Amino acid sequence: MIKRALWQGVLAGTVGGVVMTLGEKLEQAVTGRPDSHVPARVLQRLTGLPERPGVQPLPVDWAMHYGQAALLGVLRSVMAQAGLRGPPASAKFAVVRLTNDQILENATGVGAPPSTWPRGELVVDLLHKTVYAFATGAVADALAARDGLGPGQRHAAVRPGRHAHVAPLPRKDAYGR
């Protein structure tokens, strides 16, 4: 399951990153909002790369933007492989995506807590990260579905819902292989 989740997650997360970027470019064309160089600045701080004022090198920006998207996609793929699929799973994942950004941005001193942001910037960020999470989830779920039910889904098939008297599936039956 983990081997499948790795490659499927990198693919799903990369697709999610592309979809998010396309949405950002569309939004920027409408609103006139400039490009963000926060991803590049975070990567520079994390790796010790030299920092520079103003516009950041596009390869550094993309390395962080798409690298983070691909790596977090692995987590969403693990969720899908385990049987956590669909819009509720993608909504949970959106919170993870936002939390990851905020930890990295605030820990490096590149960003500030979202509670201090102008409301418009906060809404835009939430929108784009949600688009990423749902696009990544759609791809991860579709790829995981090709492998059949996840262990959680197999367990739920015994009796839907959470019941104290329903024992876990035998190990040999939990993974369907």
Side-chain angles (χ1 to χ4, degrees):
M1 180 172 85
I2 295 300
K3 286 181 186 175
R4 288 190 307 271
L6 285 172
W7 76 264
Q8 291 176 3
V10 167
L11 178 60
T14 300
V15 169
V18 168
V19 171
M20 178 175 68
T21 301
L22 292 173
E24 288 170 336
K25 294 305 177 190
L26 180 62
E27 172 265 318
Q28 288 175 307
V30 171
T31 65
R33 184 177 63 84
D35 286 339
S36 169
H37 297 285
V38 169
R41 289 189 170 102
V42 168
L43 185 59
Q44 290 164 345
R45 294 268 174 106
L46 289 172
T47 61
L49 287 170
E51 296 181 46
R52 61 177 71 183
V55 175
Q56 301 301 303
L58 192 58
V60 178
D61 205 46
W62 282 4
M64 184 65 179
H65 182 76
Y66 289 108
Q68 187 177 5
L71 287 175
L72 286 172
V74 173
L75 175 61
R76 182 59 180 85
S77 183
V78 168
M79 292 171 68
Q81 286 290 334
L84 300 169
R85 299 178 187 165
S90 291
K92 292 174 190 174
F93 181 62
V95 173
V96 170
R97 178 65 169 97
L98 289 159
T99 302
N100 179 78
D101 268 10
Q102 290 310 307
I103 290 169
L104 293 175
E105 292 171 15
N106 283 271
T108 58
V110 171
S115 59
T116 67
W117 298 7
R119 183 161 291 180
E121 287 183 33
L122 183 58
V123 168
V124 166
D125 194 55
L126 291 171
L127 173 68
H128 292 311
K129 298 309 183 327
T130 300
V131 166
Y132 162 80
F134 278 79
T136 300
V139 175
D141 290 349
L143 292 171
R146 294 174 21 187
D147 299 322
L149 297 176
Q153 292 166 312
R154 284 187 181 81
H155 181 81
V158 173
R159 182 164 180 208
R162 190 170 184 169
H163 305 281
H165 64 280
V166 177
L169 292 174
R171 192 177 303 227
K172 65 179 180 54
D173 297 332
Y175 300 104
R177 298 212 183 259

